[in-house]
Amino acid sequence: IVLTQSPGTLSLSPGERATLSCRASQIVNNNYLAWYQKKPGQAPRLLIYGASTRATGVPDRFSGSGSGTDFTLTINRLEPEDFAVYYCQRYHSSWTFGQGTKVEIK
Amino acid sequence: QVQLVESGGGVVQPGRSLRLSCAASGFSFSTYALHWVRQAPGKGLEWVAGISSGGRDKYYADSVKGRFTISRDDSKDTLYLQMNSLRLEDTAVYYCGRLGYCVRGSCYYYGMDVWGQGTTVTVSS
């Protein structure tokens, strides 16, 4: 299975909304689709699992949606600490990551 | 405190071997599936290998199949990655993470919720 994320880079200002896409080459069964945040020098952080469930401690400005082959991560009202690279991952039977979307400060 | 701590990284010549360890604490290690993920310099995250709770099932990325071996010692709460025939392209930060657990025959998956801090492997002549 291949996960394709778009766009590659998103240039936004704090307070704006970010919409990230993840498209799978095959149906992701049971919506076993997760989103992670990755900052330089830090381990990845789980944000969303089951396509739409926020992990413990994740602010509610992060939301996930989608099913089947098309998934979206939305970050409302970007905070300075949200500028990072975001990855989607299927996490059952196949554990592929997407290539990542960088959210950078405009 | 739920924690994973990797060790064993270093600088190694192409063709040589290295074994990474991932020590767990704060949770019921034996019930969890565990995985290795790496990130090469300037690149994205790449899933490397995974092992089921109990260790019966092991999975590998095509890029490491036949060269890397994942294993676990539940008596020591430790995950391992034996890396043989290392190549320049194996240079990366290697992370371990837990991904789902099984109890009384049922398994629950919710992404990789706990990660180690990473250990750096540099393959260089």
Side-chain angles (χ1 to χ4, degrees):
Chain A
I1 187 170
V2 176
L3 299 178
T4 302
Q5 292 186 239
S6 61
T9 302
L10 210 44
S11 298
L12 296 167
S13 301
E16 292 192 298
R17 172 185 295 174
T19 304
L20 289 66
S21 173
C22 176
R23 177 163 290 178
S25 59
Q26 302 172 27
I27 290 175
V28 178
N29 293 325
N30 296 307
N31 282 346
Y32 283 141
L33 192 286
W35 290 92
Y36 302 88
Q37 178 190 68
K38 180 69 171 69
K39 296 180 179 179
Q42 297 184 17
R45 174 194 180 193
L46 176 66
L47 299 174
I48 301 288
Y49 63 92
S52 61
T53 302
R54 273 188 300 276
T56 303
V58 175
D60 60 7
R61 62 180 182 273
F62 290 91
S63 63
S65 63
S67 64
T69 60
D70 290 301
F71 301 89
T72 300
L73 174 70
T74 302
I75 312 171
N76 287 311
R77 304 179 308 278
L78 280 164
E79 296 285 345
E81 62 267 29
D82 298 336
F83 291 91
V85 181
Y86 294 84
Y87 295 91
C88 60
Q89 183 203 26
R90 173 179 161 170
Y91 57 86
H92 186 260
S93 299
S94 159
W95 295 271
T96 318
F97 287 92
Q99 80 278 20
T101 290
K102 182 179 182 180
V103 178
E104 65 176 22
I105 299 177
K106 187 175 181 180
Chain B
Q1 180 186 2
V2 175
Q3 197 173 8
L4 294 170
V5 178
E6 302 98 335
S7 60
V11 180
V12 62
Q13 293 179 325
R16 304 298 290 266
S17 299
L18 207 58
R19 188 178 82 157
L20 305 182
S21 299
C22 171
S25 59
F27 64 96
S28 182
F29 180 81
S30 64
T31 64
Y32 279 84
L34 299 153
H35 291 252
W36 289 97
V37 172
R38 69 185 180 185
Q39 185 174 36
K43 303 293 186 182
L45 298 176
E46 180 188 15
W47 173 78
V48 174
I51 187 168
S52 61
S53 61
R56 183 187 68 180
D57 299 314
K58 302 177 183 182
Y59 313 92
Y60 298 94
D62 288 343
S63 58
V64 307
K65 201 172 293 183
R67 299 187 300 123
F68 289 13
T69 301
I70 189 172
S71 63
R72 62 190 297 160
D73 185 338
D74 289 349
S75 69
K76 296 181 178 179
D77 289 353
T78 302
L79 172 73
Y80 301 100
L81 186 68
Q82 177 67 42
M83 305 186 294
N84 298 332
S85 303
L86 282 161
R87 304 169 180 170
L88 297 176
E89 56 265 33
D90 294 320
T91 294
V93 177
Y94 285 73
Y95 299 96
C96 60
R98 74 176 195 183
L99 200 168
Y101 67 95
C102 297
V103 59
R104 290 187 290 275
S106 295
C107 296
Y108 306 89
Y109 303 102
Y110 42 87
M112 293 181 71
D113 67 329
V114 177
W115 297 69
Q117 83 290 351
T119 187
T120 301
V121 173
T122 303
V123 184
S124 173
S125 54

